[in-house]
Amino acid sequence: MEFLVDMVTSVPQGTSEQAVAEIRTREAARAGELAAEGSLLRLWRPPLAPGEWRTWGLFRAEDAEQLERVLASMPLRVWRHDTVTPLSPHPSDPGSSEGSGSSGGSGGSGSAGGSGSAGGAHGSGAARGEAPR
């Protein structure tokens, strides 16, 4: 099953730049591990308000409980609020491996880019834990 996760990070006031850099480094490493194991499919950076640190992620998990374990394993979770949207296959998904009109299968995994990387060219800064510009 695939899930779209809206991840909004709020660094507590007074947190040192060194502490932020350290947790971002750990987050990037964990994102790479999750991508390698197939749990993290893609990352995107939506339009941001000034000072906002936000990422959209496409995750794959067996169910909501497994997804929660994956999200809880990410270091930035201590500063982050996640909004999870479960996704279901669309019968007309052009990225579906079963083709148009199919009612089964993984539903749209092809539309995730299929690279297995944490975001490819789009969102790679989020995988590295970079703050918005």
Side-chain angles (χ1 to χ4, degrees):
M1 184 169 192
E2 292 177 342
F3 299 86
L4 181 64
V5 183
D6 182 3
M7 300 174 279
V8 178
T9 302
S10 300
V11 178
Q13 192 169 14
T15 304
S16 72
E17 288 185 31
Q18 180 180 355
V20 172
E22 190 274 333
I23 201 167
R24 286 170 51 184
T25 298
R26 290 181 22 234
E27 180 81 358
R30 184 63 182 138
E33 293 167 358
L34 292 172
E37 69 185 39
S39 296
L40 175 58
L41 305 177
R42 296 288 304 270
L43 291 173
W44 293 273
R45 174 120 22 232
L48 300 170
E52 186 177 35
W53 190 351
R54 184 176 191 179
T55 303
W56 290 340
L58 180 62
F59 290 83
R60 180 176 291 136
E62 290 298 317
D63 54 32
E65 291 174 5
Q66 182 187 28
L67 176 67
E68 177 55 30
R69 288 190 298 274
V70 166
L71 295 173
S73 76
M74 301 174 77
L76 275 173
R77 184 70 180 279
V78 298
W79 296 337
R80 205 174 67 214
H81 171 75
D82 298 334
T83 302
V84 176
T85 303
L87 302 173
S88 47
H90 190 286
S92 299
D93 179 6
S96 173
S97 60
E98 284 78 29
S100 180
S102 171
S103 61
S106 62
S109 61
S111 64
S115 66
S117 69
H122 300 289
S124 60
R128 292 189 305 268
E130 291 180 1
R133 293 175 209 182

